[in-house]
Each structure stands twice: as C-alpha cells, then as structure tokens.
Amino acid sequence: MRSTSIFLLTAFFISIAYSGALSAKGRGLASVGLSTPACLFAKKMEVHGHRGMNGFPDNTLQSFKAAVTAGVDAIELDLQVTKDKVVVVGHDAIPNVGTERCGVDGKSLKKVALFDLNYSDVSRIRCGIKEYTEDNLQPFPKFSEVLEAFKHVKASSGKPLRLNIEVKYFKDQAQYYPPEAEYIELILRVLRESGWNQDRYFVQSFNHDFLRSFEAKASDIEIVPLVGDARNAEKAALDLGAKMANPGFWQVTPELIFNLHKKDIKAIVWTPNLESEIHHVIESGADGIITDFPERFYKVREELCGI
C-alpha cells in the first residue's frame, strides 16, 4: 500500500508538470507552494548520523551529540569488545589500522586489538579524526554509556532518538571477538539492562549468519542485513525474514526501491556524502539515509522543498 501511494503521488506531480499547471515560466513546484516528488521523499526519510557525524572523532559521545544537534533521527554506531568482555563503541577491532589516529598519553597506540586489552587500558586511549596528535581527542565510550546518555533524548522530529547498531563479526576475524554465542549474550545484556524500548533500535550486520543467530536468541529485536550491492538487498531480507535491508547507494534506483516496497521491505541507504549522491538517494524513494554529513542532507531537502 505504501509503495502504491508513493507511485501515485509521483505520477500525479509529473502529470501536473507536463500539463502546464505552472503558468509562470521557469518557476518550480516548490515556488508556488506545491511539493515535488523528491521533496516528499526527502521529508519522509529517516536520517542516520554515520558514526555520529563528520568533523568529530568517529563513534564518540561528542560525535553522537553533534549529530543529534544537527537534527538526525538516529545514530549509527559500531560495536567492539574488550578482553574483560566490556562492549565498547568503535569501528575497528584494531584502532590504528590504516592511520595512526589513536594514542595513549600522547604517543601513538601500538597496533593492538581492543579484544587484547582490558577496559582499564582501553579507557586511556584517545582518538582524533585523522591523527592522535590533534587537539580534540576523544575516548572509546562503553555501549552502556551511549545508551544511558541518549535514553531520554528526542530527535528534532519530536520522536525518541533511535539507534542503528552495527555488529562487526566475521569468521576470518574471530580472534578479535568472543565466540558468537557469548558475543550475542554480551550485547543483549547491555540492551536489556538499558531500559530502551526495542522499537528504538535495530541490529545490522554484513554477517547475515550472525544476524540469524542473534534473532534466534532475541526474536523481539529487529535485525537488518547490510549489503554492498543494492541488487542483493531483496534476497538478503527475504532469506532472513527481515523487514529492512540497508544497501550501499551505488546501485540504488527508484525501480529497485519500488520493488523492495512491494515486498514490504524498507531500505536505509549508506553512505552518500556528496550532495549529488544525496540527491540520488532521495530520488530513489528510499526510506532513509546513513550519512557523515546530515547537514548536507537537510540543505538538499530545503532546496527541494523551497524552504
């Protein structure tokens, strides 16, 4: 029903444009008080701040707070685990892979997995955006700290802020994590003790077998497959019985999103950051966007809607 409504709205506004209903040459629909299809799509989209937002160290309380201030509906974050089984928020199992952005006491952090460190050691690490020598360095927050910090926070829409929780767990990286069953129990314990309602978060992963195991332990929590190629989104969702699949933006098209909607599958698309990429995702009719630059999304939306 939702997909049909979107399709009919799109057809309606296209027919207006072609019928010459706009009498003033060069004026857009927004300029005369009418919403374009792209404006309608943008208004309904849920905006997720990717690891918080650009301009702040990734996956930190500071970055998450900045994203909320920018107006996001949800925070996207990644989970890791310490040696003493504390679930923390961080993107990489080994923080300084690729770039030395994290340090301890002003010195570069040696290349070591978080799972090889106790939380007391992890809590001393400070990370910048690109370098460990930056002025603004931030610690790895516990997952429980993030849940507590945003438990009563509302998004700019007035609705409770949501969390998009990405679990990193791959068979070829098993040495960086507890055994799968134990890892699931650690995550669930933090979630259950947080007091958050299940409708305020979902768990996403590229490891669809992990999601299947997670659902077996917690069928009340929504699981969402991540896919790189959007053309695989429908199969991934159907295989898991999921109501959402989150694809990369590159192969996303209006037809693909329309077909997902016909199967009652939503799509929150990652990670368009350029304005042209954001336009592309909006015009597809996707249900949401995961971006490092939420302020760019809002700028594009304002332009489309003539705000």
Side-chain angles (χ1 to χ4, degrees), residues 239-301:
D239 285 351
L240 287 170
K243 292 297 185 182
M244 186 188 301
N246 294 349
F249 74 88
W250 303 277
Q251 287 85 24
V252 167
T253 64
E255 180 182 12
L256 186 145
I257 296 298
F258 181 73
N259 286 333
L260 286 175
H261 286 170
K262 285 198 297 183
K263 299 286 180 67
D264 288 326
I265 300 169
K266 293 183 178 181
I268 298 178
V269 179
W270 57 272
T271 312
N273 286 324
L274 299 177
E275 288 189 18
S276 59
E277 296 167 349
I278 292 170
H279 270 285
H280 170 75
V281 173
I282 289 173
E283 290 163 3
S284 76
D287 301 278
I289 184 173
I290 304 170
T291 180
D292 295 294
F293 295 89
E295 75 280 11
R296 290 182 184 172
F297 172 85
Y298 295 121
K299 176 178 178 288
V300 170
R301 188 177 70 180

Short mmCIF file of all heavy atoms in Angstrom, two decimals, residues 239-301:
data_model
loop_
_atom_site.label_atom_id
_atom_site.label_comp_id
_atom_site.label_asym_id
_atom_site.label_seq_id
_atom_site.Cartn_x
_atom_site.Cartn_y
_atom_site.Cartn_z
N ASP A 239 15.67 -13.86 2.79
CA ASP A 239 16.33 -15.01 3.38
C ASP A 239 16.28 -14.97 4.91
O ASP A 239 16.20 -16.02 5.56
CB ASP A 239 17.79 -15.09 2.94
CG ASP A 239 17.94 -15.57 1.50
OD1 ASP A 239 16.93 -16.01 0.91
OD2 ASP A 239 19.06 -15.48 0.96
N LEU A 240 16.32 -13.75 5.46
CA LEU A 240 16.31 -13.60 6.92
C LEU A 240 14.91 -13.33 7.47
O LEU A 240 14.72 -13.32 8.69
CB LEU A 240 17.23 -12.44 7.33
CG LEU A 240 18.73 -12.68 7.22
CD1 LEU A 240 19.49 -11.37 7.43
CD2 LEU A 240 19.18 -13.71 8.24
N GLY A 241 13.95 -13.11 6.58
CA GLY A 241 12.62 -12.72 7.04
C GLY A 241 12.63 -11.32 7.64
O GLY A 241 11.82 -10.99 8.50
N ALA A 242 13.56 -10.49 7.15
CA ALA A 242 13.71 -9.13 7.67
C ALA A 242 12.79 -8.16 6.93
O ALA A 242 12.48 -8.35 5.76
CB ALA A 242 15.16 -8.68 7.53
N LYS A 243 12.40 -7.11 7.62
CA LYS A 243 11.54 -6.08 7.05
C LYS A 243 12.33 -4.88 6.54
O LYS A 243 11.75 -3.87 6.12
CB LYS A 243 10.51 -5.61 8.08
CG LYS A 243 9.49 -6.67 8.44
CD LYS A 243 8.64 -7.07 7.25
CE LYS A 243 7.53 -8.05 7.61
NZ LYS A 243 6.75 -8.44 6.41
N MET A 244 13.65 -5.00 6.61
CA MET A 244 14.50 -3.92 6.13
C MET A 244 15.82 -4.51 5.65
O MET A 244 16.28 -5.52 6.18
CB MET A 244 14.77 -2.90 7.26
CG MET A 244 15.54 -1.66 6.83
SD MET A 244 16.04 -0.61 8.23
CE MET A 244 14.44 -0.24 8.97
N ALA A 245 16.41 -3.89 4.62
CA ALA A 245 17.74 -4.24 4.15
C ALA A 245 18.45 -2.93 3.82
O ALA A 245 17.88 -2.07 3.14
CB ALA A 245 17.69 -5.14 2.93
N ASN A 246 19.67 -2.77 4.30
CA ASN A 246 20.37 -1.49 4.14
C ASN A 246 21.53 -1.63 3.14
O ASN A 246 22.56 -2.21 3.46
CB ASN A 246 20.88 -1.00 5.50
CG ASN A 246 19.74 -0.65 6.44
OD1 ASN A 246 18.58 -0.58 6.00
ND2 ASN A 246 20.04 -0.42 7.70
N PRO A 247 21.32 -1.12 1.93
CA PRO A 247 22.32 -1.28 0.87
C PRO A 247 23.23 -0.07 0.71
O PRO A 247 22.90 1.06 1.12
CB PRO A 247 21.43 -1.43 -0.38
CG PRO A 247 20.27 -0.52 -0.08
CD PRO A 247 20.05 -0.59 1.41
N GLY A 248 24.39 -0.30 0.07
CA GLY A 248 25.20 0.81 -0.39
C GLY A 248 24.45 1.58 -1.46
O GLY A 248 23.58 1.04 -2.14
N PHE A 249 24.80 2.86 -1.64
CA PHE A 249 23.99 3.72 -2.51
C PHE A 249 24.27 3.53 -4.00
O PHE A 249 23.46 3.94 -4.83
CB PHE A 249 24.22 5.20 -2.14
CG PHE A 249 25.53 5.77 -2.56
CD1 PHE A 249 25.68 6.35 -3.82
CD2 PHE A 249 26.63 5.76 -1.72
CE1 PHE A 249 26.89 6.90 -4.22
CE2 PHE A 249 27.84 6.29 -2.11
CZ PHE A 249 27.98 6.86 -3.35
N TRP A 250 25.37 2.90 -4.37
CA TRP A 250 25.84 2.92 -5.76
C TRP A 250 24.83 2.35 -6.75
O TRP A 250 24.63 2.90 -7.82
CB TRP A 250 27.17 2.18 -5.85
CG TRP A 250 28.20 2.73 -4.94
CD1 TRP A 250 29.01 3.82 -5.17
CD2 TRP A 250 28.53 2.27 -3.63
NE1 TRP A 250 29.81 4.06 -4.08
CE2 TRP A 250 29.54 3.11 -3.12
CE3 TRP A 250 28.06 1.22 -2.84
CZ2 TRP A 250 30.10 2.94 -1.85
CZ3 TRP A 250 28.61 1.04 -1.58
CH2 TRP A 250 29.62 1.90 -1.09
N GLN A 251 24.21 1.22 -6.43
CA GLN A 251 23.27 0.59 -7.37
C GLN A 251 21.80 0.86 -7.03
O GLN A 251 20.91 0.25 -7.62
CB GLN A 251 23.50 -0.93 -7.40
CG GLN A 251 24.76 -1.37 -8.12
CD GLN A 251 25.98 -1.35 -7.21
OE1 GLN A 251 25.85 -1.43 -6.00
NE2 GLN A 251 27.15 -1.24 -7.79
N VAL A 252 21.55 1.76 -6.10
CA VAL A 252 20.16 2.07 -5.72
C VAL A 252 19.48 2.84 -6.85
O VAL A 252 20.02 3.80 -7.38
CB VAL A 252 20.13 2.89 -4.42
CG1 VAL A 252 18.74 3.50 -4.19
CG2 VAL A 252 20.51 2.02 -3.23
N THR A 253 18.27 2.40 -7.22
CA THR A 253 17.47 3.07 -8.24
C THR A 253 16.02 3.15 -7.76
O THR A 253 15.62 2.41 -6.86
CB THR A 253 17.49 2.29 -9.57
OG1 THR A 253 16.85 1.00 -9.35
CG2 THR A 253 18.90 2.08 -10.08
N PRO A 254 15.22 4.03 -8.35
CA PRO A 254 13.80 4.07 -7.99
C PRO A 254 13.10 2.73 -8.20
O PRO A 254 12.27 2.33 -7.39
CB PRO A 254 13.24 5.14 -8.92
CG PRO A 254 14.40 6.05 -9.20
CD PRO A 254 15.59 5.13 -9.26
N GLU A 255 13.45 2.03 -9.28
CA GLU A 255 12.83 0.74 -9.56
C GLU A 255 13.18 -0.27 -8.46
O GLU A 255 12.31 -1.03 -8.01
CB GLU A 255 13.29 0.22 -10.91
CG GLU A 255 12.67 -1.14 -11.28
CD GLU A 255 13.16 -1.67 -12.60
OE1 GLU A 255 14.15 -1.13 -13.15
OE2 GLU A 255 12.56 -2.65 -13.09
N LEU A 256 14.44 -0.28 -8.05
CA LEU A 256 14.86 -1.21 -7.01
C LEU A 256 14.12 -0.95 -5.70
O LEU A 256 13.62 -1.89 -5.05
CB LEU A 256 16.38 -1.10 -6.81
CG LEU A 256 17.02 -2.11 -5.85
CD1 LEU A 256 18.42 -2.50 -6.35
CD2 LEU A 256 17.12 -1.57 -4.43
N ILE A 257 14.03 0.32 -5.32
CA ILE A 257 13.33 0.66 -4.08
C ILE A 257 11.85 0.34 -4.19
O ILE A 257 11.23 -0.18 -3.26
CB ILE A 257 13.54 2.15 -3.73
CG1 ILE A 257 15.02 2.44 -3.45
CG2 ILE A 257 12.68 2.55 -2.53
CD1 ILE A 257 15.60 1.69 -2.27
N PHE A 258 11.27 0.63 -5.37
CA PHE A 258 9.85 0.32 -5.58
C PHE A 258 9.59 -1.18 -5.42
O PHE A 258 8.61 -1.59 -4.78
CB PHE A 258 9.44 0.79 -6.98
CG PHE A 258 8.00 0.54 -7.31
CD1 PHE A 258 7.00 1.30 -6.73
CD2 PHE A 258 7.63 -0.46 -8.20
CE1 PHE A 258 5.66 1.08 -7.02
CE2 PHE A 258 6.30 -0.69 -8.51
CZ PHE A 258 5.31 0.08 -7.92
N ASN A 259 10.48 -2.00 -5.96
CA ASN A 259 10.32 -3.45 -5.84
C ASN A 259 10.49 -3.93 -4.40
O ASN A 259 9.80 -4.86 -3.96
CB ASN A 259 11.31 -4.16 -6.77
CG ASN A 259 10.90 -4.06 -8.23
OD1 ASN A 259 9.73 -3.92 -8.55
ND2 ASN A 259 11.89 -4.08 -9.12
N LEU A 260 11.39 -3.30 -3.66
CA LEU A 260 11.53 -3.63 -2.23
C LEU A 260 10.25 -3.29 -1.48
O LEU A 260 9.75 -4.06 -0.66
CB LEU A 260 12.71 -2.87 -1.62
CG LEU A 260 14.11 -3.34 -1.97
CD1 LEU A 260 15.16 -2.40 -1.37
CD2 LEU A 260 14.36 -4.77 -1.47
N HIS A 261 9.71 -2.12 -1.77
CA HIS A 261 8.48 -1.69 -1.10
C HIS A 261 7.30 -2.61 -1.42
O HIS A 261 6.42 -2.81 -0.58
CB HIS A 261 8.15 -0.24 -1.48
CG HIS A 261 9.04 0.76 -0.81
ND1 HIS A 261 9.07 2.10 -1.16
CD2 HIS A 261 9.94 0.62 0.19
CE1 HIS A 261 9.93 2.73 -0.40
NE2 HIS A 261 10.47 1.85 0.42
N LYS A 262 7.27 -3.14 -2.62
CA LYS A 262 6.20 -4.08 -2.97
C LYS A 262 6.25 -5.32 -2.09
O LYS A 262 5.22 -5.97 -1.86
CB LYS A 262 6.30 -4.49 -4.45
CG LYS A 262 5.85 -3.42 -5.42
CD LYS A 262 5.56 -4.00 -6.80
CE LYS A 262 6.80 -4.60 -7.43
NZ LYS A 262 6.53 -5.10 -8.81
N LYS A 263 7.43 -5.64 -1.58
CA LYS A 263 7.59 -6.80 -0.68
C LYS A 263 7.57 -6.36 0.79
O LYS A 263 7.89 -7.14 1.68
CB LYS A 263 8.93 -7.50 -0.98
CG LYS A 263 9.05 -8.04 -2.41
CD LYS A 263 8.21 -9.28 -2.62
CE LYS A 263 8.34 -9.82 -4.05
NZ LYS A 263 9.67 -10.35 -4.36
N ASP A 264 7.17 -5.09 1.02
CA ASP A 264 7.15 -4.53 2.38
C ASP A 264 8.53 -4.55 3.04
O ASP A 264 8.67 -4.80 4.24
CB ASP A 264 6.13 -5.25 3.27
CG ASP A 264 4.70 -4.90 2.90
OD1 ASP A 264 4.47 -3.75 2.49
OD2 ASP A 264 3.83 -5.77 3.01
N ILE A 265 9.54 -4.28 2.23
CA ILE A 265 10.91 -4.20 2.73
C ILE A 265 11.38 -2.74 2.63
O ILE A 265 11.32 -2.13 1.56
CB ILE A 265 11.87 -5.09 1.91
CG1 ILE A 265 11.43 -6.55 2.00
CG2 ILE A 265 13.31 -4.94 2.40
CD1 ILE A 265 12.15 -7.47 1.02
N LYS A 266 11.80 -2.19 3.75
CA LYS A 266 12.34 -0.83 3.76
C LYS A 266 13.83 -0.86 3.43
O LYS A 266 14.49 -1.89 3.52
CB LYS A 266 12.12 -0.18 5.13
CG LYS A 266 10.66 0.07 5.47
CD LYS A 266 10.56 0.78 6.81
CE LYS A 266 9.12 1.10 7.16
NZ LYS A 266 9.01 1.81 8.46
N ALA A 267 14.36 0.31 3.09
CA ALA A 267 15.78 0.43 2.79
C ALA A 267 16.32 1.75 3.31
O ALA A 267 15.82 2.82 2.94
CB ALA A 267 16.02 0.33 1.28
N ILE A 268 17.31 1.66 4.18
CA ILE A 268 18.04 2.83 4.64
C ILE A 268 19.43 2.74 4.02
O ILE A 268 20.17 1.78 4.29
CB ILE A 268 18.09 2.90 6.17
CG1 ILE A 268 16.66 3.03 6.72
CG2 ILE A 268 18.95 4.08 6.64
CD1 ILE A 268 16.57 3.06 8.23
N VAL A 269 19.76 3.69 3.19
CA VAL A 269 20.90 3.57 2.27
C VAL A 269 22.16 4.23 2.85
O VAL A 269 22.11 5.35 3.36
CB VAL A 269 20.54 4.22 0.92
CG1 VAL A 269 21.71 4.13 -0.05
CG2 VAL A 269 19.30 3.54 0.33
N TRP A 270 23.28 3.50 2.74
CA TRP A 270 24.56 4.05 3.19
C TRP A 270 25.49 4.26 1.99
O TRP A 270 25.32 3.61 0.97
CB TRP A 270 25.20 3.11 4.22
CG TRP A 270 25.42 1.70 3.73
CD1 TRP A 270 24.55 0.66 3.79
CD2 TRP A 270 26.60 1.18 3.09
NE1 TRP A 270 25.09 -0.48 3.23
CE2 TRP A 270 26.36 -0.19 2.79
CE3 TRP A 270 27.84 1.72 2.73
CZ2 TRP A 270 27.30 -1.00 2.15
CZ3 TRP A 270 28.78 0.90 2.10
CH2 TRP A 270 28.50 -0.45 1.82
N THR A 271 26.55 5.00 2.09
CA THR A 271 26.78 6.17 2.89
C THR A 271 27.00 7.33 1.91
O THR A 271 28.15 7.68 1.60
CB THR A 271 28.02 6.02 3.79
OG1 THR A 271 27.99 4.79 4.47
CG2 THR A 271 28.16 7.17 4.79
N PRO A 272 25.93 7.89 1.34
CA PRO A 272 26.07 9.02 0.42
C PRO A 272 26.48 10.27 1.19
O PRO A 272 25.83 10.64 2.17
CB PRO A 272 24.67 9.17 -0.19
CG PRO A 272 23.76 8.63 0.86
CD PRO A 272 24.51 7.54 1.57
N ASN A 273 27.54 10.92 0.75
CA ASN A 273 28.03 12.10 1.45
C ASN A 273 28.07 13.35 0.57
O ASN A 273 27.90 14.46 1.08
CB ASN A 273 29.43 11.84 2.02
CG ASN A 273 29.39 10.93 3.24
OD1 ASN A 273 28.48 11.00 4.05
ND2 ASN A 273 30.39 10.07 3.37
N LEU A 274 28.31 13.18 -0.74
CA LEU A 274 28.27 14.32 -1.64
C LEU A 274 26.81 14.72 -1.90
O LEU A 274 25.92 13.88 -1.84
CB LEU A 274 28.95 13.97 -2.96
CG LEU A 274 30.43 13.57 -2.91
CD1 LEU A 274 30.91 13.20 -4.30
CD2 LEU A 274 31.27 14.68 -2.31
N GLU A 275 26.59 15.99 -2.18
CA GLU A 275 25.22 16.44 -2.43
C GLU A 275 24.61 15.69 -3.62
O GLU A 275 23.42 15.37 -3.61
CB GLU A 275 25.19 17.94 -2.65
CG GLU A 275 25.42 18.75 -1.37
CD GLU A 275 25.15 20.23 -1.55
OE1 GLU A 275 24.48 20.62 -2.53
OE2 GLU A 275 25.64 21.01 -0.71
N SER A 276 25.42 15.41 -4.63
CA SER A 276 24.90 14.68 -5.80
C SER A 276 24.47 13.27 -5.40
O SER A 276 23.46 12.75 -5.91
CB SER A 276 25.97 14.61 -6.90
OG SER A 276 27.15 13.97 -6.43
N GLU A 277 25.22 12.64 -4.50
CA GLU A 277 24.88 11.30 -4.02
C GLU A 277 23.61 11.34 -3.18
O GLU A 277 22.76 10.44 -3.27
CB GLU A 277 26.04 10.74 -3.21
CG GLU A 277 27.30 10.53 -4.02
CD GLU A 277 28.54 10.27 -3.18
OE1 GLU A 277 28.48 10.45 -1.94
OE2 GLU A 277 29.58 9.88 -3.75
N ILE A 278 23.48 12.37 -2.36
CA ILE A 278 22.29 12.52 -1.53
C ILE A 278 21.06 12.74 -2.40
O ILE A 278 20.00 12.14 -2.17
CB ILE A 278 22.49 13.68 -0.54
CG1 ILE A 278 23.56 13.31 0.50
CG2 ILE A 278 21.17 14.05 0.16
CD1 ILE A 278 24.02 14.45 1.39
N HIS A 279 21.18 13.56 -3.45
CA HIS A 279 20.09 13.74 -4.40
C HIS A 279 19.69 12.39 -5.00
O HIS A 279 18.50 12.08 -5.11
CB HIS A 279 20.53 14.68 -5.54
CG HIS A 279 20.25 16.12 -5.29
ND1 HIS A 279 18.99 16.66 -5.38
CD2 HIS A 279 21.07 17.14 -4.95
CE1 HIS A 279 19.03 17.96 -5.12
NE2 HIS A 279 20.29 18.28 -4.86
N HIS A 280 20.68 11.61 -5.38
CA HIS A 280 20.44 10.30 -6.00
C HIS A 280 19.61 9.41 -5.08
O HIS A 280 18.65 8.76 -5.53
CB HIS A 280 21.79 9.65 -6.32
CG HIS A 280 21.70 8.22 -6.73
ND1 HIS A 280 21.27 7.83 -7.98
CD2 HIS A 280 21.98 7.07 -6.06
CE1 HIS A 280 21.29 6.51 -8.06
NE2 HIS A 280 21.72 6.03 -6.90
N VAL A 281 19.96 9.38 -3.80
CA VAL A 281 19.25 8.51 -2.86
C VAL A 281 17.84 9.03 -2.60
O VAL A 281 16.88 8.26 -2.54
CB VAL A 281 20.05 8.38 -1.54
CG1 VAL A 281 19.23 7.61 -0.50
CG2 VAL A 281 21.36 7.66 -1.79
N ILE A 282 17.70 10.33 -2.46
CA ILE A 282 16.36 10.91 -2.25
C ILE A 282 15.44 10.56 -3.41
O ILE A 282 14.30 10.12 -3.22
CB ILE A 282 16.46 12.44 -2.07
CG1 ILE A 282 17.11 12.79 -0.73
CG2 ILE A 282 15.06 13.08 -2.16
CD1 ILE A 282 17.39 14.27 -0.56
N GLU A 283 15.94 10.73 -4.63
CA GLU A 283 15.12 10.50 -5.81
C GLU A 283 14.75 9.03 -5.99
O GLU A 283 13.80 8.70 -6.70
CB GLU A 283 15.85 11.03 -7.05
CG GLU A 283 15.92 12.55 -7.08
CD GLU A 283 16.96 13.09 -8.04
OE1 GLU A 283 17.60 12.27 -8.73
OE2 GLU A 283 17.13 14.32 -8.08
N SER A 284 15.47 8.14 -5.33
CA SER A 284 15.15 6.72 -5.41
C SER A 284 13.90 6.36 -4.61
O SER A 284 13.28 5.32 -4.83
CB SER A 284 16.33 5.88 -4.90
OG SER A 284 16.42 5.91 -3.48
N GLY A 285 13.53 7.23 -3.64
CA GLY A 285 12.39 6.92 -2.78
C GLY A 285 12.74 6.05 -1.59
O GLY A 285 11.86 5.47 -0.96
N ALA A 286 14.04 5.95 -1.25
CA ALA A 286 14.47 5.15 -0.11
C ALA A 286 13.86 5.67 1.18
O ALA A 286 13.44 6.83 1.28
CB ALA A 286 15.99 5.15 -0.01
N ASP A 287 13.82 4.81 2.17
CA ASP A 287 13.18 5.15 3.45
C ASP A 287 14.08 5.94 4.38
O ASP A 287 13.61 6.57 5.33
CB ASP A 287 12.74 3.87 4.17
CG ASP A 287 11.76 3.09 3.32
OD1 ASP A 287 10.56 3.43 3.34
OD2 ASP A 287 12.18 2.15 2.63
N GLY A 288 15.39 5.89 4.13
CA GLY A 288 16.30 6.61 4.99
C GLY A 288 17.68 6.68 4.40
O GLY A 288 17.98 6.10 3.35
N ILE A 289 18.54 7.41 5.10
CA ILE A 289 19.90 7.65 4.63
C ILE A 289 20.84 7.60 5.82
O ILE A 289 20.52 8.09 6.91
CB ILE A 289 19.97 9.03 3.92
CG1 ILE A 289 21.35 9.29 3.33
CG2 ILE A 289 19.58 10.15 4.86
CD1 ILE A 289 21.41 10.54 2.47
N ILE A 290 21.98 6.95 5.63
CA ILE A 290 23.05 6.93 6.62
C ILE A 290 24.19 7.76 6.04
O ILE A 290 24.74 7.41 5.00
CB ILE A 290 23.53 5.50 6.91
CG1 ILE A 290 22.37 4.61 7.36
CG2 ILE A 290 24.63 5.50 7.97
CD1 ILE A 290 22.71 3.13 7.42
N THR A 291 24.53 8.87 6.69
CA THR A 291 25.49 9.79 6.10
C THR A 291 26.38 10.42 7.16
O THR A 291 25.98 10.60 8.32
CB THR A 291 24.78 10.90 5.30
OG1 THR A 291 25.75 11.79 4.73
CG2 THR A 291 23.83 11.70 6.19
N ASP A 292 27.61 10.77 6.73
CA ASP A 292 28.53 11.50 7.60
C ASP A 292 28.17 12.98 7.65
O ASP A 292 28.67 13.70 8.52
CB ASP A 292 29.96 11.37 7.08
CG ASP A 292 30.48 9.94 7.14
OD1 ASP A 292 30.65 9.42 8.24
OD2 ASP A 292 30.70 9.35 6.07
N PHE A 293 27.35 13.42 6.72
CA PHE A 293 27.05 14.85 6.58
C PHE A 293 25.54 15.10 6.63
O PHE A 293 24.93 15.46 5.62
CB PHE A 293 27.62 15.38 5.26
CG PHE A 293 29.11 15.35 5.17
CD1 PHE A 293 29.76 14.22 4.67
CD2 PHE A 293 29.88 16.42 5.59
CE1 PHE A 293 31.14 14.17 4.59
CE2 PHE A 293 31.27 16.39 5.51
CZ PHE A 293 31.91 15.26 5.01
N PRO A 294 24.92 14.93 7.78
CA PRO A 294 23.47 15.16 7.86
C PRO A 294 23.09 16.58 7.49
O PRO A 294 22.02 16.81 6.92
CB PRO A 294 23.14 14.85 9.32
CG PRO A 294 24.43 14.93 10.06
CD PRO A 294 25.48 14.50 9.08
N GLU A 295 23.98 17.54 7.76
CA GLU A 295 23.66 18.93 7.42
C GLU A 295 23.53 19.10 5.91
O GLU A 295 22.75 19.95 5.45
CB GLU A 295 24.72 19.89 8.00
CG GLU A 295 26.06 19.91 7.30
CD GLU A 295 27.00 18.77 7.66
OE1 GLU A 295 26.57 17.80 8.32
OE2 GLU A 295 28.19 18.84 7.27
N ARG A 296 24.25 18.31 5.12
CA ARG A 296 24.12 18.38 3.66
C ARG A 296 22.77 17.84 3.23
O ARG A 296 22.16 18.36 2.29
CB ARG A 296 25.25 17.61 2.99
CG ARG A 296 26.61 18.27 3.13
CD ARG A 296 27.69 17.48 2.40
NE ARG A 296 29.00 18.08 2.62
CZ ARG A 296 30.15 17.53 2.24
NH1 ARG A 296 30.13 16.37 1.58
NH2 ARG A 296 31.30 18.13 2.50
N PHE A 297 22.33 16.77 3.89
CA PHE A 297 21.00 16.24 3.57
C PHE A 297 19.94 17.31 3.81
O PHE A 297 19.06 17.53 2.96
CB PHE A 297 20.68 15.01 4.41
CG PHE A 297 19.25 14.54 4.24
CD1 PHE A 297 18.89 13.69 3.20
CD2 PHE A 297 18.26 14.98 5.11
CE1 PHE A 297 17.58 13.29 3.03
CE2 PHE A 297 16.95 14.58 4.95
CZ PHE A 297 16.60 13.73 3.90
N TYR A 298 20.01 17.98 4.96
CA TYR A 298 18.99 18.99 5.27
C TYR A 298 19.07 20.17 4.30
O TYR A 298 18.04 20.76 3.96
CB TYR A 298 19.14 19.45 6.71
CG TYR A 298 18.85 18.33 7.70
CD1 TYR A 298 19.80 17.92 8.62
CD2 TYR A 298 17.64 17.66 7.67
CE1 TYR A 298 19.54 16.89 9.52
CE2 TYR A 298 17.37 16.62 8.55
CZ TYR A 298 18.33 16.24 9.46
OH TYR A 298 18.07 15.20 10.32
N LYS A 299 20.27 20.53 3.86
CA LYS A 299 20.42 21.60 2.87
C LYS A 299 19.74 21.20 1.56
O LYS A 299 18.99 21.99 0.97
CB LYS A 299 21.90 21.88 2.64
CG LYS A 299 22.19 22.92 1.56
CD LYS A 299 23.69 23.17 1.45
CE LYS A 299 24.02 24.16 0.34
NZ LYS A 299 23.83 23.59 -1.00
N VAL A 300 19.99 19.96 1.11
CA VAL A 300 19.38 19.47 -0.12
C VAL A 300 17.86 19.44 0.03
O VAL A 300 17.12 19.85 -0.88
CB VAL A 300 19.92 18.08 -0.49
CG1 VAL A 300 19.10 17.45 -1.62
CG2 VAL A 300 21.39 18.16 -0.88
N ARG A 301 17.38 18.96 1.16
CA ARG A 301 15.93 18.89 1.39
C ARG A 301 15.30 20.27 1.35
O ARG A 301 14.22 20.46 0.76
CB ARG A 301 15.63 18.21 2.73
CG ARG A 301 14.15 17.95 2.94
CD ARG A 301 13.89 17.22 4.24
NE ARG A 301 14.14 18.07 5.40
CZ ARG A 301 13.98 17.66 6.66
NH1 ARG A 301 13.60 16.42 6.91
NH2 ARG A 301 14.21 18.48 7.67
#
